[in-house]
Amino acid sequence: MNNKQQLTGYVYSNDLLQYRFSNSHPFNQMRLKLTTELLTELGYLKPSHIIKPRIATDDEIALIHSYDYIQAIRHASHGILSDSEAKKYGLDGDDTQQFRMMHKHSARIVGGALNLVDQVMTNQITNGCHLGGGLHHSLPGRANGFCIYNDVAIAIKYLMKYYNQRVLCIDTDAHHGDGTQWSFYTNDQALIYSIHETGKFLFPGSGHYTERGNEEGFGYTVNMPLEPYTEDESFIETFKATIEPVVASFNPDIIISVHGVDIHYLDPLTHMHCTLDALYQIPYIIKSLADTYTNGKVIMFGGGGYNIWKVVPRAWTHVFLALLGESPLTGNLPEAWIKKWQHYAPITLPNTWQDECEDFQVIPRKDEISEINMKRAQQVRSWFI
Ligand SMILES: [Zn+2]
């Protein structure tokens, strides 16, 4: 399909920044504003692209989550959740904390996803992104890993129920997309693929390649775990080697993808060793699969990404550029953007689109890591060819 005939949506409102656990929490939605302003400054993002989120209804959230969990989130919103309930619903630790109005702010992220789905499915746009979403860890009855409502899983179920779609989910966040996996583990109408750092040393611990689904869903969960300190070449080669046969075999109606950008070597929460180069390639690979298999229909979510100054804005800019069909950027970042945000940044902001690489450590086991990853990829690939 000619890219020029495709229309792209971008979910945004300042209200999305209110999904916020505390001032010191690593999940910081300021990264969404930084990205949005960068895209605007570059001239790519225009008011006509913007899709406003809405507050999802309880019945929509209940496509994945239990009503008692939704009720618990409402109680937490008003500070009246008991200690025993907080423990039961995963809201008692430092990771996923309670905050004022958390139901409304979480339901808005879901509503952003559903508005985007509706626009794609009614052919108002071909593709779009919701970088404020991608909360792939939350489970049907439990908050998990900074995630309250799983907007990704809800969007997939909504596509299945209201639009009769067979959905391929491609999750490239450094962490395994456990909440999404378990929501569709026995289902054969959605195929859930996740490429991530092995759970041996990283939250949530799941995502082993032998987790392949159950009952009718057997073969419809695909996990591609990677060794810690995996670098760009190995990530891209194993990603392509596994996702290409998966998409050809499943032949989806639409692709949903999760673009956590925490595989970057400067991300403080993971042990991956990729650069912006891999992060720029990933959305283009997925966009190309959508053009080949789903008539261009793809919805890209955000996800993790905890270096909000040096990594997230530059990486997520390329999610939107890939959807627009524009080429990756080189050269300098816009001066006006740097000038505005340097005032708030605790570090010196980068001024080009490439990594500065001054802190990049050479990994002595690179060849061994790449070999282990490729051996695993060949195993996963063999199930689909
Ligand atoms: Zn992550």
Side-chain angles (χ1 to χ4, degrees), residues 134 136-137 145-146 171-176 202-204 258 260-263 267 269-270 303-306:
H136 62 162
H137 291 304
F146 313 160
D171 188 329
T172 62
D173 188 281
H175 300 88
H176 175 229
L202 187 69
F203 177 89
V258 177
V261 291
D262 40 8
I263 59 170
D267 192 278
L269 297 194
T270 76
Y306 306 98

Side-chain angles (χ1 to χ4, degrees), residues 172 195-196 226 230-240 263 272 274 278 282 373:
T172 62
I195 182 167
H196 45 262
L226 297 166
T230 292
E231 298 187 44
D232 290 352
E233 301 83 352
S234 181
F235 188 99
I236 296 297
E237 125 187 300
T238 49
F239 178 47
K240 283 185 176 170
I263 59 170
M272 296 291 275
C274 293
I282 292 166
N373 287 340

Side-chain angles (χ1 to χ4, degrees), residues 180-315:
T180 316
Q181 166 171 306
W182 301 126
S183 297
F184 298 97
Y185 209 57
T186 56
N187 197 301
D188 63 0
Q189 294 303 300
L191 192 150
I192 312 299
Y193 169 100
S194 180
I195 182 167
H196 45 262
E197 178 183 335
T198 165
K200 274 187 281 187
F201 312 107
L202 187 69
F203 177 89
S206 51
H208 195 266
Y209 77 100
T210 54
E211 291 166 25
R212 299 178 61 195
N214 260 341
E215 301 166 22
E216 290 89 69
F218 182 77
Y220 293 86
T221 289
V222 181
N223 283 300
M224 179 58 231
L226 297 166
E227 291 296 291
Y229 302 104
T230 292
E231 298 187 44
D232 290 352
E233 301 83 352
S234 181
F235 188 99
I236 296 297
E237 125 187 300
T238 49
F239 178 47
K240 283 185 176 170
T242 49
I243 195 60
E244 283 170 357
V246 165
V247 66
S249 153
F250 184 63
N251 200 19
D253 298 317
I254 185 166
I255 295 174
I256 295 277
S257 53
V258 177
H259 295 265
V261 291
D262 40 8
I263 59 170
H264 193 276
Y265 74 98
L266 290 175
D267 192 278
L269 297 194
T270 76
H271 319 100
M272 296 291 275
H273 211 61
C274 293
T275 71
L276 287 170
D277 190 44
L279 287 169
Y280 293 172
Q281 289 185 56
I282 292 166
Y284 287 89
I285 294 169
I286 295 173
K287 170 67 163 56
S288 159
L289 293 173
D291 285 340
T292 305
Y293 291 95
T294 62
N295 227 0
K297 274 194 290 183
V298 58
I299 293 175
M300 299 189 177
F301 288 82
Y306 306 98
N307 189 324
I308 72 161
W309 302 104
K310 285 201 164 184
V311 178
V312 184
R314 288 185 289 179

Side-chain angles (χ1 to χ4, degrees), residues 331-344:
N332 292 331
L333 296 179
E335 257 178 53
W337 184 86
I338 298 174
K339 204 168 165 204
K340 172 173 178 183
W341 291 104
Q342 188 59 71
H343 180 66
Y344 301 93

Side-chain angles (χ1 to χ4, degrees), residues 34-46 313-314 317-318 320-321 329-330 332-337 353:
L34 291 168
T35 306
T36 303
E37 293 211 357
L38 183 52
L39 280 165
T40 304
E41 189 62 42
L42 288 163
Y44 289 112
L45 182 62
K46 302 193 170 72
R314 288 185 289 179
T317 289
H318 285 76
F320 190 63
L321 291 185
L329 298 171
T330 54
N332 292 331
L333 296 179
E335 257 178 53
W337 184 86
W353 290 97

Side-chain angles (χ1 to χ4, degrees), residues 23-71:
N23 288 339
S24 58
H25 196 282
F27 191 97
N28 184 348
Q29 289 290 54
M30 183 55 78
R31 61 203 182 135
L32 178 62
K33 192 169 182 66
L34 291 168
T35 306
T36 303
E37 293 211 357
L38 183 52
L39 280 165
T40 304
E41 189 62 42
L42 288 163
Y44 289 112
L45 182 62
K46 302 193 170 72
S48 59
H49 292 118
I50 302 290
I51 295 171
K52 295 255 180 230
R54 59 184 167 84
I55 308 291
T57 65
D58 284 15
D59 286 346
E60 288 167 343
I61 297 167
L63 287 170
I64 292 295
H65 297 285
S66 59
Y67 282 101
D68 63 305
Y69 174 65
I70 299 169
Q71 191 59 28

